[in-house]
Amino acid sequence: VLFRSALDPEVGAVVAARDERRHSGLGVLVGRLPGPPADRDHLVRVLAALTSFELFDALAGPGQNLTAVVPDVLHLVGATLR
């Protein structure tokens, strides 16, 4: 999808809008955490990276179901929030 978005401006706009919604939603969730994080924007960017399709795809590798790596992603997110 990212490769195609680089070649097709319409796809790029859709991907950018999706990413903005994800960042916005993560910002809401981070805002609900007890005790404000020192750098809210940085935490949102890290969580966005950890929950991106690209990370799921990289962890799963070829031929593995994306759901198989959910525990790994949850572990990474949990470690980030501690």
Side-chain angles (χ1 to χ4, degrees), residues 51-80:
T51 58
S52 69
F53 170 79
E54 292 79 16
L55 182 76
F56 275 81
D57 192 45
L59 289 174
Q64 186 174 355
N65 190 317
L66 293 178
T67 59
V69 299
V70 169
D72 297 327
V73 174
L74 290 175
H75 176 75
L76 292 169
V77 168
T80 299

Side-chain angles (χ1 to χ4, degrees), residues 5-6 9 16-17 21-24 31-33 40-41 45 49-50 66 69:
S5 69
R21 287 190 304 275
R22 287 184 62 247
H23 278 82
S24 179
R32 294 178 181 173
L33 292 173
R40 180 184 178 279
D41 292 336
R45 287 192 308 273
L50 291 176
L66 293 178
V69 299

